[in-house]
């Protein structure tokens, strides 16, 4: 469906700005009713899920999108800024659109965002201090994330990309753990540092482009993908020029910090460990995907020459991520930090899939983004469960929890096995697709083979963690621990269901994106 | 003939005349009325509003008056509106400030501010060295007195003294350079100087580079750019905060007004911008000089600001850094850069005045502007602190604020001219600046208040209104910046340039 309006407003705008509506509602809730704030947040995030189901039902998976403006679905395009600038002959106009649309690459991310936001909302119930501020910022964060995944105008994309930092800074900085101030500012500065490079590349693209239809410079991503829209002789003109490679690298640095890729990953363990549970869930579940999404949405189709040129270094970085992340995870004594490093490792799979430049690899990468989102969300929620009860996350402080907390054990074991990539669970499919893709590409075949080492390391630290937490003798002091409660089950079980169902019927998901992925791969190789 | 010309000129001099009359009325009113009366301030604001009406009549006019001393053009009209707006705000600030109330003065600050505004008006429109110098001195003299306004406070007197000494030295250097140029070219009029340099191809004469550097000292001191910035932190810290805000916005904008006009018109080859690019006379190297100054201002301003604990000093160094950013728009030497500067100046007006006003409100209650005392303030006066947060993020250039739009256009102009390195330096600087702007936010929200100071702080309704008047445009222009661009676009036309 090309357009879909509710009350005259496009459905994607609803998805982006519904949380803002929620913010306003929460801000104006009178003091006497402040206890109900969390339910409002729950309602508004649930509405996002409803909307994303509507999207799914109306989505036509045969329309590829990517670089074809007419096959994007649920499009909305409104002129935002439109001003003539003086004296610059011919292109004397500044034009920015409010331009939204969905294709097979962004749809999975939208669904993931809605899902994780809702789960995070449930997990936020344990926040007791200053709830009003917390939920206002939380919903603002959701707006930023939705905006990034829906935008098709680079300027709009950038604005959402940046404003999402503000709520994140406060959410980590106010409601976080002991070293929250340090973690918050580190996260903020790292990402802003990356944004600088995105901004430069973005402005350079603007001045190198000329929309064939209007004759103006443009921020429209889809137009920028069209080689005919790049002015020959401009900064980023031509194919495979050094400035184009530089711009690709600039964009990559900006996105890689978010993924996070080695060597830009050091903000992640700090941010994860200090953030409250719900925010860790959002961070791992959605935020990291913004980086890899940015690479697939912006870097690759706009600079297909760079995508192929940098295939090898990208694969090496991905390989380092996989193995280094797994080794670091193995060395951790803190449960949350372990999951944080395992995220680095798993995002390495995503990057390997992206670096492979093959249909299978891309499918695997997007599917892995989604799976990592759901699995890591369950894992962080599980860390929250144990931390809320025991007020420690030290892996060596526990043992024998399997008998004490059987339901908890059941939940976490599914997530752990999914994380290892056990057949029958969703991550198995995505990881094998990634490796298939990597193997298919001769340039990076060797690196792919090396990367498979990650699977073993991954299994090693997960199994070791299970052993340390759940087997052996239960220390005396944990005799009072209670099993996972209803609310916590509500936040984890739906995700587990998704993990299992997608493990058995991956085609449900993969069919959504196949045509877009094919289009992207063809487009990249067509131009090289 | 002469008389008729003067009378015609007076017609185009109505805004300035209005301010002079308002100034006189204020003095008389202040003599008659008792000390605490807000009426003087109200008269001043009314006078400024009338002046703004007369300025609005000048929209679209492009002419020179008083035999080529000053001009009326869209460029000066833009700055006049800017000065009026910021002066009105600052008069309100002064009324709200406890520091000013306790100074033991009547309302002298009001007419000193008016005289400074008058000087700023003239600075933005002068095209003659003599007029430039005189108006700059009018601004300076008014600001010396304002800086020492709370004369019983030792710091304030010290600040004023330092200010006078630096000011005297730099304007002395400047007028020497002007006399050099006059001796060299035989004219005080910037257009005639340009014509002389073009026809004699004298642009690369060493005397040019010497006098440009020395003139930059005079203007650079007004806009507080490195290396002429040494007075700024002390004066900003020593003066009462409303005065600081006034110096940081009106006085430095007036410096920009004269600086931009001087550089962009004097050294033009053909008085015509080709494709928007200015044709600079061969051999005149003013852009290189300004690049050095701009980069130095950004780096020193931002890095020194990191170590500050006093909010006022922090804002002082941030102003130095902001000066560096604004100058970036001039070094690209084209119309797009000029437009970007204008966008930035409007944004700067709102966000900087806002930051200062929030500081006034905070220090009114805490009797301190030290950030250590602001721990957990966000929970005690959420409204003020949220606004402060908005201004801080705007100053650091986070999207959806006017500050981002300003920076975006500045860096766009640079990148379009392929000055990628300069853009990168500027942008990395804004990452550094985020660190100390966020520090303010950190003290307000991330840190828990010390025990014993957790009670809510109440402010009058009027305070919130003024804060909103500054915070709302900061956000609004960040989201919908068409008006900013249109204003900037309409204002870049200068007298004498096609």
């Amino acid at each position: 469906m090309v357009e879909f309006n509710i009350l005259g407003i496009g459905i994607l705008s609803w998805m982006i700005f519904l949380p803002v509506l929620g913010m306003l509602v929460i801000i104006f809730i009178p003091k006497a009713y402040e206890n109900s704030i969390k339910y409002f947040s729950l309602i508004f995030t649930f509405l996002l899920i409803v909307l994303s189901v509507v999207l799914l039902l109306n989505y036509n998976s045969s329309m590829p999108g990517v670089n074809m403006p007419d096959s994007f679905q649920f499009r909305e395009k409104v002129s935002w800024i439109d001003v003539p600038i003086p004296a610059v002959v011919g292109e004397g106009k500044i034009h920015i659109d409010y331009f939204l649309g969905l294709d097979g690459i962004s749809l999975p991310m939208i669904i993931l965002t809605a899902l994780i936001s809702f789960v995070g909302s449930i997990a936020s119930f344990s926040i007791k201090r200053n709830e009003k501020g917390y939920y206002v910022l939380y919903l603002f964060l959701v707006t930023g994330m939705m905006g990034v995944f829906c935008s098709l105008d680079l300027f709009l994309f950038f604005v959402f990309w940046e404003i999402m930092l503000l709520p994140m800074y406060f959410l980590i900085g106010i409601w976080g753990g002991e070293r929250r101030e340090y973690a918050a500012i580190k996260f903020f500065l790292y990402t802003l540092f990356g944004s600088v490079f995105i901004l430069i590349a973005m402005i350079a693209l603007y001045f190198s482009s000329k929309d064939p239809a209007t004759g103006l410079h443009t921020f429209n991503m889809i137009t920028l993908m069209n080689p005919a829209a790049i002015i020959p002789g401009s900064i980023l003109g031509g194919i495979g020029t050094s400035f184009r490679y530089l711009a690709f690298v600039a964009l990559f640095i900006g996105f890689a910090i978010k993924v996070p890729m080695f060597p830009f990953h050091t903000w992640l363990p700090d941010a994860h460990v200090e953030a409250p549970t719900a925010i860790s869930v959002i961070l791992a579940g959605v935020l990291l995907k913004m980086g890899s999404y940015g690479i697939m949405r912006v870097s690759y189709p706009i600079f297909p020459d760079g995508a192929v040129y940098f295939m090898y270094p990208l694969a090496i970085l991905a390989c380092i991520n996989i193995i280094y992340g797994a080794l670091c995870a193995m060395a951790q004594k803190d449960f949350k930090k372990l999951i944080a490093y395992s995220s680095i490792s798993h995002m390495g799979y995503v990057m390997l899939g992206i670096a492979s430049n093959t249909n299978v690899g891309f499918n695997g990468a997007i599917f892995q983004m989604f799976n990592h989102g759901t699995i890591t969300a369950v894992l962080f929620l599980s860390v929250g469960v144990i931390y809320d009860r025991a007020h420690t996350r030290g892996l060596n402080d526990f043992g024998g929890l399997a008998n004490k907390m059987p339901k908890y054990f059941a939940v976490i074991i599914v997530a752990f096995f999914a994380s290892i990539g056990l057949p029958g669970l969703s991550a198995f499919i995505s990881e094998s697709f990634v490796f298939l893709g990597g193997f298919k590409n001769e340039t990076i075949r060797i690196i792919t083979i090396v990367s498979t080492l990650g699977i073993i390391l991954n299994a090693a630290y997960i199994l070791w963690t299970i052993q340390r937490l759940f087997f052996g003798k239960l220390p005396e002091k944990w005799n009072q621990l209670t099993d996972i409660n209803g609310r916590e089950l509500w936040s984890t079980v739906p995700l587990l269901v998704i993990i299992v169902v997608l493990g058995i019927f991956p085609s449900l998901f993969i069919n959504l994106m196949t045509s877009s992925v094919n289009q992207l791969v063809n487009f990249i190789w067509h131009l090289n | 003939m002469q008389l008729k010309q003067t009378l015609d000129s007076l017609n185009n001099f109505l805004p300035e005349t209005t301010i002079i009359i308002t100034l006189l009325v204020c003095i008389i009113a202040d003599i008659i009325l008792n000390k605490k009366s807000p009426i003087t301030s109200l008269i001043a604001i009314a006078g400024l509003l009338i002046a703004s009406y007369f300025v609005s009549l000048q929209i679209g006019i492009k002419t020179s008056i008083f035999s080529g001393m000053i001009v009326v053009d869209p460029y000066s009209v833009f700055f006049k509106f800017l000065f009026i707006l910021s002066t009105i705000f600052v008069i309100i600030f002064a009324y709200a400030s406890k520091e000013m109330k306790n100074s033991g003065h009547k309302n002298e600050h009001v007419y000193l501010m008016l005289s400074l505004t008058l000087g700023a008006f003239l600075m933005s429109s002068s095209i003659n060295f003599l007029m430039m110098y005189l108006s700059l001195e009018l601004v300076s003299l008014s600001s010396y007195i304002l800086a020492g306004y709370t004369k019983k406070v030792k710091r304030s007197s010290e600040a004023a003294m330092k200010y006078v000494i630096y000011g005297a030295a730099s304007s002395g250097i400047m007028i020497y350079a002007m006399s050099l140029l006059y001796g060299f070219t035989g004219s005080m009029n910037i257009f005639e100087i340009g014509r002389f340099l073009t026809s004699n191809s004298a642009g690369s004469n060493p005397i040019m580079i010497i006098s440009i550097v020395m003139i930059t000292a005079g203007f650079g001191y007004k806009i507080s750019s490195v290396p002429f910035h040494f007075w700024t932190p002390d004066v900003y810290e020593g003066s009462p905060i409303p005065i600081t805000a006034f110096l940081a916005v009106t006085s430095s904008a007036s410096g920009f007004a004269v600086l931009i006009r001087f550089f962009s018109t004097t050294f033009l080859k053909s008085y015509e911008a080709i494709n928007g690019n200015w044709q600079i006379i061969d051999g005149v190297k003013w852009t290189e000089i300004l690049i050095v100054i701009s980069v130095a201002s950004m780096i020193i301003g931002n890095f020194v600001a990191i170590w500050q604990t006093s909010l006022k000093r922090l804002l002082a160094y941030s102003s130095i850094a902001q000066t560096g950013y604004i100058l970036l728009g001039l070094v690209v030497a084209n119309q797009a850069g000029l437009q970007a500067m204008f966008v930035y100046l409007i944004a700067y007006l709102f966000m900087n005045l806002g930051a200062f006003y929030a500081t006034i409100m905070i220090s009114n209650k805490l009797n301190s502007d030290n950030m250590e005392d602001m721990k957990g303030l966000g929970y005690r006066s959420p409204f003020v602190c949220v606004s402060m947060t908005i201004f801080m993020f705007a100053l650091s250039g986070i999207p959806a604020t006017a500050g981002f739009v300003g920076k975006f256009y500045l860096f766009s102009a640079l990148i379009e001219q392929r000055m990628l390195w300069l853009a990168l330096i500027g942008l990395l600087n804004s990452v550094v600046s985020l660190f100390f702007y966020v520090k303010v936010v950190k003290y307000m929200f991330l840190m828990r208040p010390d025990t014993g100071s957790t009670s809510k702080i109440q402010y009058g309704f009027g305070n919130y209104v003024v804060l909103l008047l500054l915070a709302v445009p900061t956000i609004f222009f960040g989201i919908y910046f068409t008006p900013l661009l249109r204003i900037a676009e309409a204002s870049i036309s200068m007298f004498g340039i096609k």
Side-chain angles (χ1 to χ4, degrees):
Chain A
M1 188 158 299
V2 171
E3 280 176 31
F4 191 97
N5 293 331
I6 302 172
L7 300 177
I9 297 171
I11 186 165
L12 292 183
S13 288
W14 274 109
M15 294 201 79
I16 296 174
F17 293 108
L18 206 56
V20 174
L21 204 66
M23 278 167 66
L24 293 178
V25 170
I26 289 176
I27 287 175
F28 292 109
I29 281 183
K31 258 213 151 52
Y33 298 98
E34 277 192 356
N35 287 332
S36 56
I37 285 179
K38 47 180 179 257
Y39 300 108
F40 277 102
S41 149
L42 203 62
I43 292 169
F44 276 99
T45 44
F46 183 73
L47 285 176
L48 290 182
I49 294 197
V50 173
L51 286 179
S52 56
V53 170
V54 173
L55 282 181
L56 260 181
L57 294 178
N58 290 289
Y59 183 76
N60 176 355
S61 57
S62 62
M63 290 168 82
V66 185
N67 68 328
M68 306 198 293
D70 295 331
S71 70
F72 273 89
Q73 303 179 50
F74 310 107
R75 283 201 305 272
E76 290 170 42
K77 192 171 186 176
V78 182
S79 171
W80 177 15
I81 302 294
D82 191 25
V83 182
I85 53 170
V88 182
V89 183
E91 304 117 18
K93 226 169 172 205
I94 295 168
H95 190 89
I96 302 171
D97 280 324
Y98 172 80
F99 184 21
L100 309 175
L102 274 195
D103 66 356
I105 298 171
S106 44
L107 180 71
M109 294 301 111
I110 300 281
I111 298 169
L112 181 70
T113 309
L115 200 64
I116 300 294
S117 306
F118 178 67
V119 168
S121 210
I122 302 178
S124 301
F125 276 32
S126 54
I127 298 286
K128 297 287 178 239
R129 205 161 48 85
N130 219 324
E131 284 177 76
K132 199 175 214 174
Y134 177 88
Y135 285 105
V136 166
L137 290 167
Y138 182 82
L139 289 175
F140 190 41
L141 180 65
V142 177
T143 291
M145 297 186 302
M146 281 289 180
V148 167
F149 292 129
C150 292
S151 307
L152 291 179
D153 186 280
L154 207 46
F155 190 90
L156 190 66
F157 176 89
F158 186 78
V159 168
F160 281 122
W161 175 275
E162 290 259 287
I163 57 171
M164 183 223 62
L165 295 177
L166 303 180
M168 206 62 192
Y169 170 76
F170 288 106
L171 287 167
I172 298 176
I174 299 180
W175 289 273
E178 237 158 61
R179 288 166 66 239
R180 57 182 185 276
E181 287 162 20
Y182 170 76
I185 190 72
K186 194 170 180 183
F187 165 78
F188 205 159
L189 286 178
Y190 265 65
T191 321
L192 200 77
F193 177 77
S195 310
V196 162
F197 294 96
I198 300 181
L199 185 64
I200 291 183
M202 175 177 126
I203 298 174
L205 268 172
Y206 177 76
F207 286 116
S208 308
S209 66
K210 191 178 203 170
D211 190 332
T214 57
L216 303 175
H217 292 318
T218 182
F219 281 115
N220 185 326
M221 286 189 215
I222 301 163
T223 312
L224 289 173
M225 292 169 199
N226 179 358
I230 303 295
I231 308 168
S234 58
I235 304 182
L236 302 178
I239 283 282
T241 60
S242 51
F243 267 118
R244 276 181 75 85
Y245 290 148
L246 266 180
F248 181 86
V249 171
L251 281 176
F252 178 75
I253 292 175
F255 294 133
I257 288 178
K258 206 82 176 190
V259 170
M261 293 289 277
F262 177 88
F264 307 113
H265 66 283
T266 53
W267 64 267
L268 181 113
D270 285 309
H272 266 313
V273 171
E274 300 307 325
T277 302
I279 302 308
S280 292
V281 169
I282 296 269
L283 203 55
V286 184
L287 243 67
L288 305 191
K289 279 74 196 175
M290 285 169 43
S292 42
Y293 173 79
I295 291 174
M296 294 187 90
R297 166 65 70 219
V298 183
S299 305
Y300 267 45
I302 295 181
F303 296 103
D305 41 349
V308 174
Y309 185 81
F310 288 105
M311 198 152 58
Y312 198 69
L314 280 187
I316 287 183
L317 283 176
C319 177
I320 294 176
N321 252 40
I322 294 173
I323 292 178
Y324 175 79
L327 286 174
C328 284
M330 204 177 280
Q332 298 311 316
K333 294 191 178 68
D334 182 312
F335 194 6
K336 211 170 184 186
K337 225 170 185 167
L338 180 134
I339 308 296
Y341 276 108
S342 86
S343 280
I344 296 178
S345 177
H346 283 113
M347 289 309 285
Y349 294 124
V350 175
M351 291 309 299
L352 187 66
I354 292 178
S356 77
N357 275 324
T358 54
N359 304 30
V360 187
F362 278 179
N363 271 319
I366 300 176
F367 197 23
Q368 171 75 0
M369 274 148 79
F370 187 86
N371 292 339
H372 175 256
T374 47
I375 295 167
T376 319
V378 177
L379 289 176
F380 274 117
L381 290 167
S382 309
V383 176
V385 168
I386 193 85
Y387 185 73
D388 283 346
R389 287 166 177 67
H391 301 288
T392 174
R393 294 183 300 249
L395 288 168
N396 296 331
D397 297 346
F398 294 101
L401 289 178
N403 291 327
K404 191 74 201 159
M405 306 168 77
K407 279 188 272 178
Y408 178 59
F409 182 57
V411 166
I412 207 167
I413 205 85
V414 177
F416 269 149
F417 282 145
S419 178
I420 295 175
L422 207 69
L425 298 169
S426 58
F428 169 71
I429 315 287
S430 52
E431 283 175 25
S432 36
F433 273 30
V434 163
F435 286 123
L436 276 175
F439 203 76
K440 206 171 139 193
N441 184 330
E442 281 170 27
T443 323
I444 64 167
R445 183 171 290 165
I446 304 293
I447 302 174
T448 311
I449 294 171
V450 176
S451 303
T452 48
L453 194 63
I455 300 181
I456 302 166
L457 294 172
N458 191 1
Y461 69 77
I462 296 265
L463 292 174
W464 190 29
T465 307
I466 296 177
Q467 186 201 333
R468 280 185 286 181
L469 282 176
F470 294 101
F471 302 144
K473 196 169 168 294
L474 182 76
E476 285 284 312
K477 56 178 171 179
W478 303 132
N479 275 332
Q480 312 305 322
L481 286 187
T482 51
D483 204 349
I484 189 166
N485 64 27
R487 175 178 68 79
E488 288 155 349
L489 279 176
W490 269 108
S491 60
T492 46
V493 171
L495 293 177
L496 292 179
V497 171
I498 291 174
I499 291 169
V500 174
V501 169
L502 289 184
I504 301 168
F505 302 111
S507 54
L508 285 179
F509 191 87
I510 290 174
N511 284 344
L512 290 178
M513 58 197 186
T514 313
S515 63
S516 295
V517 165
N518 291 343
Q519 176 66 24
L520 180 58
V521 173
N522 291 340
F523 180 64
I524 289 170
W525 287 106
H526 163 76
L527 279 179
N528 278 279
Chain B
M1 195 60 212
Q2 191 70 36
L3 184 69
K4 188 176 177 303
Q5 209 185 8
T6 310
L7 284 175
D8 281 349
S9 300
L10 276 175
N11 263 338
N12 281 317
F13 201 60
L14 283 174
E16 287 83 354
T17 319
T18 316
I19 290 183
I20 295 169
I21 294 170
T22 315
L23 200 159
L24 295 173
V25 173
C26 281
I27 296 180
I28 295 165
D30 213 27
I31 295 170
I32 300 168
L33 294 164
N34 85 358
K35 185 177 161 188
K36 293 208 170 65
S37 167
I39 291 178
T40 318
S41 304
L42 288 176
I43 294 172
I45 292 174
L48 285 167
L49 289 175
I50 297 169
S52 77
Y53 168 73
F54 287 126
V55 176
S56 73
L57 294 182
Q58 294 180 339
I59 293 175
I61 296 178
K62 224 169 155 181
T63 176
S64 93
I65 54 175
F66 292 124
S67 17
M69 274 292 173
I70 61 173
V71 292
V72 176
D73 56 5
Y75 175 85
S76 64
V77 166
F78 168 82
F79 275 101
K80 285 174 190 170
F81 276 126
L82 201 71
F83 298 142
I84 289 175
L85 193 59
S86 73
T87 310
I88 290 178
F89 270 118
V90 172
I91 289 176
I92 298 171
F93 291 5
Y95 183 69
S97 156
K98 214 162 92 180
E99 246 179 320
M100 300 293 280
K101 271 200 194 91
N102 296 342
S103 65
H105 287 277
K106 282 191 160 186
N107 290 309
E108 287 95 326
H109 66 272
V110 174
Y111 28 95
L112 285 168
M113 283 172 182
L114 286 174
S115 72
L116 196 152
T117 312
L118 177 67
F121 269 41
L122 295 172
M123 264 170 99
S124 70
S125 38
S126 38
I127 53 166
N128 185 297
F129 276 167
L130 206 56
M131 201 61 216
M132 282 182 184
Y133 179 73
L134 286 176
S135 53
L136 191 123
E137 281 300 290
L138 179 56
V139 170
S140 298
L141 288 174
S142 315
S143 50
Y144 300 150
I145 309 174
L146 282 170
Y149 192 67
T150 48
K151 63 181 177 207
K152 284 175 197 138
V153 180
K154 210 172 155 198
R155 273 194 325 179
S156 182
S157 312
E158 186 194 323
M161 194 63 210
K162 279 183 184 157
Y163 201 12
V164 172
I165 293 170
Y166 276 111
S170 51
S171 59
I173 294 172
M174 183 176 81
I175 198 154
Y176 179 60
M178 284 176 168
S179 68
L180 275 183
L181 268 185
Y182 175 63
F184 185 56
T185 62
S187 175
M188 292 263 199
N189 182 299
I190 54 176
F191 293 100
E192 280 167 28
I193 292 173
R195 254 172 246 131
F196 174 87
L197 292 176
T198 320
S199 54
N200 295 298
S201 9
S204 49
N205 193 305
I207 205 126
M208 288 306 301
I209 197 98
I210 294 171
S211 30
I212 289 175
V213 169
M214 285 162 83
I215 286 183
T216 315
F219 297 148
Y221 147 82
K222 263 273 83 51
I223 60 174
S224 63
S225 65
V226 174
F228 318 108
H229 70 288
F230 291 102
W231 60 275
T232 317
D234 291 332
V235 172
Y236 279 22
E237 196 189 10
S239 317
I241 309 174
I243 306 298
T244 311
F246 197 49
L247 295 180
V249 178
T250 310
S251 166
S252 102
S254 72
F256 274 111
V258 67
L259 176 106
I260 297 170
R261 189 191 291 278
F262 173 73
F263 281 116
S264 62
T265 56
T266 312
F267 305 114
L268 276 193
K269 211 189 287 177
S270 57
Y271 298 107
E272 205 163 352
I274 296 170
N275 287 353
N277 292 323
W278 301 338
Q279 308 299 305
I280 301 170
I281 296 171
D282 303 319
V284 180
K285 300 235 182 296
W286 62 265
T287 48
E288 282 84 344
I289 296 169
L290 287 188
I291 287 177
V292 174
I293 289 180
S294 152
V295 170
S297 300
M298 284 190 289
I299 291 178
I300 291 181
N302 281 326
F303 277 90
V304 180
I306 292 177
W307 315 112
Q308 304 306 318
T309 51
S310 150
L311 200 50
K312 270 157 93 183
R313 274 188 98 84
L314 185 139
L315 286 174
Y317 282 105
S318 120
S319 302
I320 295 171
Q322 301 283 343
T323 297
Y325 294 125
I326 300 176
L327 279 178
L328 286 177
L330 193 54
V331 301
V332 293
N334 65 17
Q335 300 294 87
L338 191 55
Q339 193 184 12
M341 288 174 92
F342 280 19
V343 171
Y344 202 92
L345 279 170
I346 304 175
Y348 182 68
L349 173 106
F350 286 107
M351 58 199 187
N352 220 24
L353 282 182
F356 277 112
Y357 189 61
T359 313
I360 291 175
M361 291 176 72
I362 291 169
S363 65
N364 268 356
K365 299 287 176 183
L366 298 181
N367 290 321
S368 152
D369 69 325
N370 196 311
M371 284 193 276
E372 285 291 326
D373 298 326
M374 288 165 49
K375 277 186 188 165
L377 199 66
Y379 305 100
R380 300 173 62 197
S381 55
F383 192 91
V384 174
C385 290
V386 168
S387 311
M388 187 64 167
T389 307
I390 292 172
F391 298 130
M392 288 292 118
F393 284 135
L395 282 167
S396 61
I398 299 284
T401 63
F404 171 69
V405 179
K407 285 221 172 94
F408 179 77
Y409 279 100
L410 283 177
F411 294 122
S412 295
L414 282 174
I415 291 174
E416 195 192 9
Q417 290 301 307
R418 304 204 179 188
M419 297 168 131
L420 291 173
W421 280 110
L422 208 50
L424 190 64
I425 291 173
L427 281 165
L428 289 179
N429 256 294
S430 68
V431 177
V432 174
S433 78
L434 180 84
F435 185 76
F436 64 83
Y437 288 125
V438 164
K439 200 166 92 175
V440 180
V441 178
K442 183 179 89 176
Y443 275 100
M444 291 189 304
F445 286 101
L446 269 55
M447 294 196 162
R448 312 265 153 83
D450 296 332
T451 46
S453 54
T454 46
S455 57
K456 290 255 178 204
I457 298 175
Q458 298 297 334
Y459 290 101
F461 181 69
N463 289 334
Y464 293 133
V465 172
V466 177
L467 211 47
L468 272 181
L469 280 177
L470 291 160
V472 170
T474 307
I475 301 257
F476 176 80
F477 288 137
I479 295 170
Y480 186 69
F481 42 93
T482 306
L484 282 190
L485 298 177
R486 292 223 176 254
I487 293 169
E489 180 222 343
S491 308
I492 57 173
S493 156
M494 273 187 226
F495 174 80
I497 299 178
K498 282 177 205 85

